[in-house]
Amino acid sequence: MKYMLLIYVTEADMMKDDPGVIDRHLAVTEKAIAGGAYVGCDALEPTARAIRINVKDGAVNRTDGPFTELKEVLGGFYVVDCASDDEAVALAAEIPHPPHGTIEIRRIATIPGWDDAVAEIRSRVGKLPARAG
């Protein structure tokens, strides 16, 4: 079963220089890879570079960050494939996060027929070229 491990932090925590945090995340990543659970992970930039949109009647309303009203923001995430909730909790407990941070564990929903539909679209559309960074 796939899970998203959502890492919530404060904006202030995101800006702190923590020289060992990358090594701690790499240790968790290595453990997840060794256990066959790793799917992917990434960090997110602060909300100063975030964009929110909502669409109403076809009109797109865009709001650029920062979003100062938020106490905690999504700072990063892991996607893992675990045999149980307990395995996901154990892995999430090892993710480094600041004292004021929270890790939310969410099961990724299985939508019947989705993978087949995406495979059909990929075969029809073909592989898209890589985007320049």
Side-chain angles (χ1 to χ4, degrees):
M1 177 173 335
K2 287 186 184 172
Y3 297 83
M4 282 197 81
L5 311 179
L6 305 165
I7 306 165
Y8 290 95
V9 297
T10 64
E11 288 276 354
D13 286 334
M14 288 181 81
M15 305 312 282
K16 288 181 183 172
D17 184 28
D18 183 350
V21 74
I22 298 298
D23 289 338
R24 293 193 304 275
H25 277 286
L26 287 172
V28 173
T29 300
E30 183 174 346
K31 182 173 184 169
I33 290 170
Y38 184 82
V39 176
C41 69
D42 262 309
L44 301 175
E45 292 189 8
T47 63
R49 297 192 40 92
I51 301 166
R52 288 182 180 169
I53 68 161
N54 61 44
V55 181
K56 185 173 182 178
D57 298 326
V60 177
N61 181 26
R62 174 183 170 147
T63 306
D64 294 328
F67 306 113
T68 56
E69 72 277 9
L70 301 175
K71 290 183 180 180
E72 287 186 336
V73 298
L74 184 58
F77 63 91
Y78 285 75
V79 178
V80 294
D81 194 349
C82 297
S84 67
D85 290 354
D86 289 340
E87 183 182 342
V89 168
L91 193 54
E94 297 193 34
I95 295 172
H97 61 284
H100 299 54
T102 303
I103 297 179
E104 180 179 348
I105 301 166
R106 301 273 305 267
R107 286 184 181 183
I108 295 176
T110 301
I111 301 171
W114 183 261
D115 291 342
D116 292 337
V118 170
E120 189 278 324
I121 292 169
R122 285 185 191 273
S123 69
R124 190 168 25 87
V125 173
K127 185 172 179 152
L128 298 175
R131 292 184 181 191

